[in-house]
Structures are given as structure tokens and as C-alpha cells.
Amino acid sequence: SYELTQALSVSVALGQTASITCGGNIIGSKNVHWYQQKPGQAPVVIIYRDRNRPSGIPERFSGSNSGNTATLTISSAQAGDEADYYCQVWDSSTAVFGGGTKLTVL
Amino acid sequence: EVQLLESGGGLVQPGGSLRLSCAASGFTFSSYTMNWVRQPPGKGLEWVSGITGSGDGTYYADSVKGRFTISRDNSKNTLYLQMNSLRADDTAVYSCAKRGTGGDPEFDYWGQGTLVSVSS
């Protein structure tokens, strides 16, 4: 079965840029989606199909995907960006999630 | 406005059964594949099951195959998950999620979830 690997945690200084990666075998050939989940809340899609932002998601959030790594980049990180971030792909009609990365804004 | 409201969670003994429901509104329910995703306390997201808009296609994670059954009633705009032979590791918040459109789409709307606790 397909697996996605994410770092457990990432820290970023306020106003700086954070990169959260999602590793998978030839993940560049798949569509990667990113979700943000704050405590006690449902996940929210922030990037879909590698690099697209739903309406209402700030331009500070961007995505890329190539080779064996997909990356979520958060520019000018704000305190409100502290959350868990999950990547997700489809593999043979089943959805696969990464283990999630907790972002801490210092 | 899209709304997904789950119900039916609770405390159940190992080996027991529960039926979850997800009431949908704000979109043409029968046109979309719907899914169940669960999250054990303090842990990550795990996809559980999906069902096509017409109900003729169903998909399951290996961890629940043979024990859980997904279904839908498009006349009631409601998604279901019948859970049998429950185990302690099934303990989680269960959320329904709407799949978007196109190839390999995202989950564009999620419910708040309902907690299932399996314990003696």
C-alpha cells in the first residue's frame, strides 16, 4: 500500500517561511492535497492538486510537487497558522493521508 | 452553504456494533462521492470508506474491510456507516467528508465528527 511520510513537527519564527514536506514514492505523479487542522476543528483543505488554493485561503500558502516530495510552503508565518497539516493522495480508489506535521510558530 | 452533520457515536463494548449517520445539506447529495475519515484521539487522519454518488461503488480501508459497511440514502441526503465487530483500535472521531470533482479530488467539506469509543 502507498505510504506518505511527514515530519512530526516543524517550527518557524513569526513572519518567516515554513516548509512542510510530504514524501512518497514518485509522489510527483499524483495529485497532492493539503489540509490544515486546528485543535477541536475539522480539517480544511488549503491546497488542492499540488498548488491550487481554494477561495479564501491566503496567498501565503503555496504548494509544489516533484519527484518523491511534495511541499507546502507558508510564507510570513502568523500565530494563527499554528496547526496540524496533513498531505493526502489517492491510490487505487483509496485515500492515503500522511501522518501529519505540527507547525509551531515561535 | 454545505453542511455535514454526523450522529450515532457513543460508547460500545468490544465486539459490539454502531451505526453512524451523516446528514448532508447545501449541495446535490446524489452527485458526489462521500467518505468516512476517522481520527483516533491525539493521532492523525485515517480514511475509512467511500461510496459513489449512486451507491454502486464502495471502497474500504483494509483495517475495516469485512467489518464496516458504508451506504447512503439519496432520498434522505444521508450517509451511513454500519460498524460491526468493533475493536479498541476503532476508537476515534468519525467524520464524513465530501469529495470534490475531477480526477483524484480533494475532500472539500468535512463534518465536525462523532466520537466512537470502544471499551469494556
Side-chain angles (χ1 to χ4, degrees), chain B residues 68-85:
Chain B
F68 291 10
T69 302
I70 191 171
S71 62
R72 65 192 297 161
D73 186 336
N74 287 343
S75 68
K76 296 181 178 179
N77 287 353
T78 303
L79 174 72
Y80 302 100
L81 186 67
Q82 177 67 44
M83 303 186 296
N84 299 330
S85 303

Side-chain angles (χ1 to χ4, degrees), chain A residues 33 35 37 42-43 49 86 90 95, chain B residues 39 99 101 103-105 107 110:
Chain A
H33 315 298
Y35 303 88
Q37 186 181 33
R49 293 196 182 93
Y86 295 90
W90 288 95
Chain B
Q39 186 169 33
R99 230 175 83 147
T101 55
D104 292 345
F107 296 114
W110 298 65

